Amino acid sequence: MSAPMTVSLATLNAAQRKAAETLEGPVLVLAGAGTGKTKVLTTRLALLLSKGHKPASLLAVTFTNKAAREMRARAIKLAGTAAKDVWLSTFHSLCARILRKEIEVLGWRKDFSIYDDSDQESVVRGVLKELRVPGAQATPDVVRWRIGQAKNRGWDADQMAKFGGEEVDHIAARAFEKYQAGLKARNAVDFDDLLTLTVRLFREHPKVLEKYRKQFRYLMVDEYQDTNAVQYEIVRSLAGEHRNLFVVGDDDQSIYGWRGADHAHILHFEADFRGATVVRLEQNYRSTSAILEAANELIRHNAARHPKTLFSKLGAGTPVRMVMLYDERAEALWVADQIKTSARRRSHFAILFRTNAETRPFEEQLRLARVPYSVVGGQRFYDRREVRDVLAYLRLAANPHDDAALARVANVPPRGLGETSMEKLDAFAASHAMPLVDAFKRAGEAGLAPAAAESAKRLAGKIEGWKAAAKTSAARGAREMVEELDLAGELRREGGSEEAAEARVASIESVLNDLAAFEGQGGDLRGYLEKVALLDKDEPEEEQKEAVTLLTAHAAKGLEFPVVFVVGMTDGIFPHRRSAAEEKGLEEERRLLYVAMTRAKEELILTRPEQRTSRGKTAASPPSRFLVELPGHISREAPGTREITADEAAALDAKIQAILSGGGKGGG
């Protein structure tokens, strides 16, 4: 018989060790940013295995496949091959595994299919057709997404109709039951059903629930602050009477409320599980003291949180800097110059944004500076579909004979010019040696159906009008063109989350603002399009692996970089205007900035433009209200010049507060 395995705790600090060694009863580990939560989780798994518990009796769940793989690899390193048989996965993988064994009692066969977004849209499309819902009222993608949101909240069709505030919610509620029936008829489930059907299984079949409660004697949950209503119920159901539930999380890093996560679950853990042991992990192994002091002071302003104060033994480090620049272009130019002139490796730098729509000026300046970069969690600005579409329309306004541009947007937004119509128009243009736009003018001769031919002629006429308007004012003409086409409305109707749709609309707005700024400097439409085209030519070589990382604060969670720039620190951007209207939303925005700040290991720089261009007009941009919540001793620098004195900093703070309270004007 082999000797019992031993697990070393020598590398754990006192708090980590207490968390790992508390094996019985409910345990809440409040793991601040960079405090080693994965180390605690995997050490605890190894300890349980070392005490003879069967791998199949241990369940550990997290939120991403990447996190699950990392946790398993670490557990195997600590505990050996026995860790391979631990139930360690994402919530969805866990539920899929259970349903493969048990779903027949709910009326599905065990060989059910899991439908992806495209499959789901196909079912929804059929339902909307059956309900005779016009496409202008609700697209299949919008309805699919709204049904998914309802499922994540644990709502049925009646609750969806009751709590939904928009017409599309009521349409989705009408479609809900028919959609579910359609899935079941196909012996299929969608991604959200994996969770909701597991909840239903446990509710309706107590013997099945008891079977899994007996199997899983120890349950561990990572990132507990990110659980939604359905995941929360699954966890509570499985914890059962043995109550051996070990959760790790940080309410200060709960940033996914918009997709159903409810950080009240971690706040109420002690009420849900009486007698729980609470362990705070506060020693940060990532950042310097200067960065943590600023982050601690910021998050202290949130009321709904467990108090904790991060500290570091890595030294004071470089003071946090707050830098104000003249406008967005000056901000991007300054950041690009700081990176280009630094002796650090390019991969040491990250630029964090509130939304992807803000990347354009930074991508532009990095390209011009020949600094390689990569965009995480989204396409490069000029590769985004909505940006390419609006640029194609601008190219047509500058040159109606641009066949490639016309072909791209002929049916954007939809105007009845599908693939068959375009083939006929292309063939007609080729046979008559004419530009495609002229073929559009003679679409009836090209053999198109009357409605499609009329649509093509109408578009050709509009292009001529846009060309004339652009000669008078490129910026005004472009904005009128975009409004006439209702490109923003079309993006909102396409579906997906409201935040994603607004980000795409903001990308179009960014192009229009950039064109207005270019025209304001004496340029015209042709010159602007040439500038954009040349930016593509200036793209850094792909083989250059040393690149600056551009990403949103949401996408940055779980990552770290030696130097972090958090840019666009103005009210309405960070915090975002949609979230700052109520205290709950404002607190989540503050948590998001906290996450952004704690990504920095050695240097943290917060920047903001004093003025912004919006809808073609440049105006003072109020500073983020979060800036006045930072410690008074952080370095404040005037726009692109020098570090200001303590007296100037105090005066600046007073001015910012006056602006935020409505007592002043300008951007500080």
Side-chain angles (χ1 to χ4, degrees):
M1 186 173 179
S2 59
M5 178 184 66
T6 58
V7 178
S8 173
L9 304 177
T11 60
L12 275 59
N13 65 37
Q16 290 172 334
R17 181 165 182 161
K18 179 182 178 182
E21 288 186 312
T22 306
L23 302 180
E24 302 298 323
V27 181
L28 169 62
V29 179
L30 295 168
T35 56
K37 68 181 179 66
T38 304
K39 187 176 187 179
V40 170
L41 273 165
T42 51
T43 301
R44 188 173 191 270
L45 267 177
L47 278 171
L48 287 166
L49 289 170
S50 73
K51 293 182 180 298
H53 294 287
K54 294 179 180 179
S57 72
L58 309 182
L59 171 62
V61 287
T62 186
F63 280 81
T64 67
N65 289 314
K66 179 182 176 183
R69 286 194 300 270
E70 180 186 354
M71 205 180 298
R72 186 178 297 281
R74 289 204 197 182
I76 290 171
K77 191 173 181 180
L78 285 172
T81 56
K84 290 182 179 180
D85 296 323
V86 171
W87 280 54
L88 200 166
S89 69
T90 64
F91 273 99
H92 290 88
S93 294
L94 165 69
C95 293
R97 190 172 175 181
I98 291 173
L99 291 173
R100 286 292 177 200
K101 295 181 178 182
E102 315 291 349
I103 200 170
E104 286 181 340
V105 297
L106 297 178
W108 278 259
R109 298 191 309 275
K110 290 182 180 180
D111 62 348
F112 63 85
S113 299
I114 301 173
Y115 272 15
D116 62 16
D117 291 352
S118 177
D119 298 325
Q120 294 167 44
E121 280 186 42
S122 177
V123 178
V124 172
R125 188 174 289 107
V127 170
L128 294 179
K129 187 174 181 181
E130 183 182 344
L131 293 174
R132 297 182 179 180
V133 175
Q137 280 188 291
T139 65
D141 188 40
V142 171
V143 172
R144 176 195 63 79
W145 189 80
R146 295 294 174 112
I147 290 174
Q149 286 294 93
K151 289 180 180 181
N152 282 327
R153 293 184 174 100
W155 292 353
D156 58 19
D158 290 339
Q159 290 169 306
M160 194 175 183
K162 179 179 180 181
F163 298 116
E166 300 178 32
E167 178 61 26
V168 69
D169 292 310
H170 296 284
I171 293 171
R174 288 169 56 203
F176 195 125
E177 289 183 3
K178 288 183 178 293
Y179 166 71
Q180 287 302 108
L183 288 178
K184 193 170 185 180
R186 295 164 173 81
N187 193 41
V189 300
D190 64 25
F191 202 57
D192 300 307
D193 285 334
L194 294 173
L195 302 181
T196 57
L197 288 177
T198 301
V199 166
R200 183 180 155 197
L201 176 71
F202 289 164
R203 284 178 182 172
E204 297 178 5
H205 301 276
K207 289 184 179 179
V208 175
L209 173 58
E210 188 58 29
K211 168 185 166 182
Y212 287 99
R213 279 181 174 174
K214 285 182 177 179
Q215 177 179 337
F216 301 132
R217 302 303 301 169
Y218 295 90
L219 171 57
M220 286 157 274
V221 183
D222 188 21
E223 303 285 10
Y224 190 66
Q225 78 280 353
D226 292 335
T227 52
N228 63 29
V230 184
Q231 291 159 338
Y232 173 71
E233 183 165 348
I234 291 170
V235 170
R236 292 204 66 182
S237 296
L238 287 174
E241 295 178 3
H242 62 69
R243 301 194 333 136
N244 288 328
L245 174 61
F246 181 91
V247 304
V248 181
D250 182 9
D251 43 285
D252 290 337
Q253 295 186 79
S254 179
I255 58 174
Y256 299 117
W258 50 275
R259 68 185 189 197
D262 187 350
H263 89 304
H265 298 155
I266 195 168
L267 293 178
H268 299 159
F269 185 86
E270 293 166 88
D272 291 339
F273 297 92
R274 298 290 181 183
T277 300
V278 179
V279 182
R280 285 173 168 77
L281 304 185
E282 296 175 298
Q283 182 174 350
N284 176 286
Y285 292 90
R286 175 191 300 150
S287 307
T288 61
S289 296
I291 293 167
L292 296 181
E293 285 173 12
N296 286 335
E297 185 63 21
L298 172 77
I299 203 63
R300 184 180 62 79
H301 289 79
N302 270 7
R305 64 184 293 262
H306 287 286
K308 69 187 78 69
T309 302
L310 299 187
F311 67 93
S312 172
K313 294 183 179 179
L314 299 177
T318 304
V320 174
R321 302 166 69 188
M322 186 176 78
V323 182
M324 296 166 293
L325 289 309
Y326 179 67
D327 58 14
E328 306 105 304
R329 182 178 176 278
E331 182 184 28
L333 180 63
W334 184 86
V335 170
D337 184 64
Q338 294 292 301
I339 295 171
K340 185 175 180 63
T341 58
S342 172
R344 286 182 177 273
R345 295 164 56 182
R346 300 296 184 246
S347 59
H348 283 193
F349 294 94
I351 305 175
L352 271 58
F353 310 85
R354 174 59 182 83
T355 69
N356 267 319
E358 299 162 62
T359 68
R360 184 201 54 76
F362 295 88
E363 290 193 52
E364 180 177 301
Q365 293 303 326
L366 289 170
R367 288 185 181 192
L368 292 174
R370 302 293 295 166
V371 173
Y373 68 89
S374 63
V375 180
V376 174
Q379 289 177 301
R380 290 169 179 256
F381 184 82
Y382 291 105
D383 291 337
R384 296 173 195 168
R385 175 169 64 87
E386 63 274 14
V387 172
R388 288 194 173 276
D389 287 345
V390 76
L391 288 174
Y393 272 116
L394 292 176
R395 284 163 54 189
L396 285 172
N399 173 21
H401 292 178
D402 188 332
D403 287 2
L406 179 53
R408 179 179 180 89
V409 296
N411 210 38
V412 179
R415 51 174 64 92
L417 298 176
E419 191 173 327
T420 301
S421 295
M422 287 305 298
E423 286 175 356
K424 291 178 179 179
L425 289 165
D426 283 334
F428 186 81
S431 64
H432 290 76
M434 63 173 58
L436 187 58
V437 69
D438 289 345
F440 272 52
K441 295 173 183 176
R442 298 168 58 182
E445 298 175 52
L448 271 68
E454 183 58 34
S455 183
K457 289 183 212 175
R458 198 160 46 243
L459 176 57
K462 286 182 177 181
I463 291 171
E464 291 297 331
W466 295 332
K467 180 181 179 181
K471 288 181 179 178
T472 305
S473 169
R476 185 169 63 249
R479 186 167 295 281
E480 290 172 355
M481 177 183 70
V482 167
E483 290 174 353
E484 180 183 0
L485 291 163
D486 192 24
L487 294 181
E490 185 62 28
L491 289 173
R492 293 186 179 105
R493 287 188 291 272
E494 279 185 7
S497 70
E498 181 185 356
E499 182 153 336
E502 290 303 320
R504 295 173 68 190
V505 171
S507 293
I508 291 178
E509 182 67 24
S510 183
V511 172
L512 297 178
N513 289 337
D514 191 32
L515 173 57
F518 187 82
E519 186 176 49
Q521 296 165 1
D524 59 11
L525 181 57
R526 288 183 183 277
Y528 177 74
L529 292 169
E530 183 177 306
K531 181 197 83 163
V532 172
L534 290 176
L535 282 174
D536 281 334
K537 297 295 183 185
D538 284 338
E539 181 71 19
E541 295 297 322
E542 287 297 324
E543 60 265 22
Q544 290 182 275
K545 295 180 180 179
E546 278 299 317
V548 177
T549 303
L550 275 63
L551 70 174
T552 65
H554 280 106
K557 191 169 183 293
L559 302 177
E560 59 184 44
F561 304 90
V563 183
V564 170
F565 293 90
V566 184
V567 300
M569 291 298 301
T570 62
D571 240 41
I573 300 295
F574 213 155
H576 199 280
R577 56 181 172 78
R578 289 199 314 275
S579 303
E582 58 179 13
E583 190 61 28
K584 184 178 179 181
L586 185 62
E587 289 210 349
E588 179 152 324
E589 288 289 297
R590 191 178 283 111
R591 292 194 295 269
L592 184 58
L593 178 56
Y594 174 82
V595 166
M597 292 170 67
T598 53
R599 299 312 93 195
K601 297 169 68 176
E602 300 169 20
E603 293 184 52
L604 173 63
I605 304 99
L606 307 167
T607 70
R608 76 170 184 89
E610 291 186 281
Q611 54 184 18
R612 279 187 177 276
T613 302
S614 178
R615 300 189 64 80
K617 296 180 181 178
T618 300
S621 186
S624 169
R625 65 194 71 186
F626 296 148
L627 293 179
V628 297
E629 297 175 355
L630 298 175
H633 62 264
I634 71 170
S635 170
R636 288 165 168 79
E637 299 176 29
T641 55
R642 59 180 175 81
E643 183 169 317
I644 62 179
T645 67
D647 288 343
E648 288 172 323
L652 173 65
D653 279 345
K655 188 173 183 180
I656 290 174
Q657 289 176 351
I659 293 168
L660 294 178
S661 63
K665 297 179 181 179

